Amino acid sequence: MHADKPSRTALIVSLAVLFRHLEPAFRTLTVDVTVNLAERALLEFIPLGGRWRAWLAAKPVRQLVEAVERLVLPGFMTHVVCRKAWIRERVLERLPDCPHLVVVAAGLDGLAASLAQSRAELRTVEVDHPATQALKRRLLGAETASRIAWQGVDLTTERLEQALADDAGARSVFVVEGLTMYLQESEVRRLFEGLAALAAPGSVCVFTFMEPDARGQIRFQRAGAWLDRWLRLVKEPFRWGLARTALRDFLAPTGWQLAEVAESAAMLPASRADAAIARGEWLAVAVRRSQDESPCEGATRP
């Protein structure tokens, strides 16, 4: 990404959330704070005033957006809202045992802000590129932003454990959504090692990762050539992916035990179970092992 500008993909993800939120079947999968952030981000770049809902709901606009999605990456918007819903479910499951939330590369997602508003006892930390954080803090407003501890970090050049030294030793839930594919393998390994160094045993990491296709390329299935070109243009190309069958062995030396792997399609509403959804990015949960625990202990949930 550009050093002085927020992530372009973060803005695209926000638009996808906003667009799918207008459909009743998907509305329960979206978090209000994320939707509000997406709305404000949209108005930053397109001055629609209070007419954004009518604009996005207009049939010609919806047809155009859907046509572009089919050309670039069919099912992307549905994947995004289902991915976020799955992550939120896993975070809520784990918070009673881990009252400390760290969201890495949070983009314009509202999960941390939403939980910070509803759970006064929860320490909430967001780590992201300073340019993206600057936009997000402005969009959230001072009152909500003050509930979050902000750490501006460029993960390609700075070590996470140094930025989060004050949070070391806590039993935490870490969220790493839509990040690992943009890093080199050495950077991904360093990321998980850094999180492990911070985390108390029993901490949890909820994250996403890309699986290479049959030709070994790091890309979504059925992605159009335009997507690869656009990612290169905005300097956010996919760099790392891993077969899900190899994930356990990749994580073990970093101190994490794989607990669950799933696809975002698991969150499709019953009324839209046949909806097109992008595939190729997987969702996972890993648990921080204690020092005397064997890497082979535990089981992966189907």
Side-chain angles (χ1 to χ4, degrees):
M1 63 179 289
H2 296 278
D4 59 343
K5 296 180 180 180
S7 166
R8 299 299 194 278
T9 52
L11 297 172
I12 295 297
V13 165
S14 289
L15 182 59
V17 169
L18 202 57
F19 199 80
R20 280 289 173 259
H21 176 74
L22 295 177
E23 298 182 39
F26 291 105
R27 198 163 294 154
T28 58
L29 300 183
T30 55
V31 175
D32 287 345
V33 177
T34 300
V35 173
N36 292 338
L37 276 168
E39 174 188 355
R40 293 168 190 165
L42 175 66
L43 298 179
E44 282 267 322
F45 299 96
I46 307 177
L48 297 172
R51 304 186 303 277
W52 70 267
R53 288 181 182 269
W55 184 77
L56 284 184
K59 187 175 180 179
V61 173
R62 294 191 68 82
Q63 288 177 333
L64 175 62
V65 172
E66 299 281 5
V68 171
E69 184 196 45
R70 286 193 298 271
L71 178 66
V72 177
L73 179 56
F76 171 72
M77 293 186 291
T78 298
H79 166 70
V80 164
V81 296
C82 288
R83 179 181 78 183
K84 290 184 176 298
W86 190 92
I87 289 172
R88 180 178 175 81
E89 275 199 358
R90 296 306 177 273
V91 169
L92 291 175
E93 287 175 0
R94 303 289 183 159
L95 281 183
D97 297 322
C98 304
H100 189 268
L101 176 66
V102 179
V103 184
V104 181
L108 297 178
D109 183 74
L111 174 62
S114 174
L115 292 174
Q117 288 176 340
S118 61
R119 302 183 181 219
E121 77 286 357
L122 179 68
R123 174 164 170 77
T124 306
V125 183
E126 284 206 12
V127 180
D128 208 345
H129 194 280
T132 301
Q133 280 194 341
L135 171 62
K136 186 173 186 177
R137 295 178 72 169
R138 186 171 76 252
L139 297 178
L140 279 174
E143 181 178 354
T144 300
S146 67
R147 300 172 185 265
I148 299 170
W150 302 87
Q151 294 290 347
V153 177
D154 183 342
L155 292 172
T156 63
T157 59
E158 300 175 74
R159 297 191 71 86
L160 187 64
E161 58 269 36
Q162 292 176 351
L164 296 175
D166 291 343
D167 297 287
R171 197 165 189 179
S172 308
V173 177
F174 299 97
V175 176
V176 185
E177 178 188 1
L179 169 66
T180 61
M181 70 276 270
Y182 298 110
L183 303 177
Q184 302 286 353
E185 180 174 337
S186 60
E187 294 168 342
V188 176
R189 195 178 302 278
R190 188 172 69 222
L191 170 65
F192 281 106
E193 289 172 346
L195 294 178
L198 292 165
S203 294
V204 172
C205 184
V206 184
F207 64 98
T208 67
F209 68 99
M210 296 296 296
E211 183 172 51
D213 63 17
R215 294 183 295 176
Q217 295 182 316
I218 313 301
R219 64 200 312 269
F220 282 97
Q221 297 174 20
R222 300 199 299 150
W226 286 106
L227 178 60
D228 296 329
R229 293 170 185 167
W230 185 79
L231 289 171
R232 288 195 297 270
L233 178 66
V234 299
K235 299 183 180 180
E236 298 179 24
F238 292 170
R239 294 185 170 94
W240 181 81
L242 188 70
R244 60 189 183 278
T245 54
L247 183 60
R248 178 184 294 275
D249 290 340
F250 178 85
L251 290 174
T254 70
W256 293 96
Q257 175 69 49
L258 184 63
E260 182 178 4
V261 177
E263 281 193 294
S264 60
M267 296 300 298
L268 279 171
S271 61
R272 295 298 308 275
D274 60 345
I277 188 166
R279 297 179 184 274
E281 183 179 29
W282 289 79
L283 319 171
V285 177
V287 179
R288 177 68 170 99
R289 300 192 316 269
S290 61
Q291 291 183 346
D292 57 353
E293 184 179 358
S294 166
C296 296
E297 293 180 17
T300 302
R301 197 157 82 186

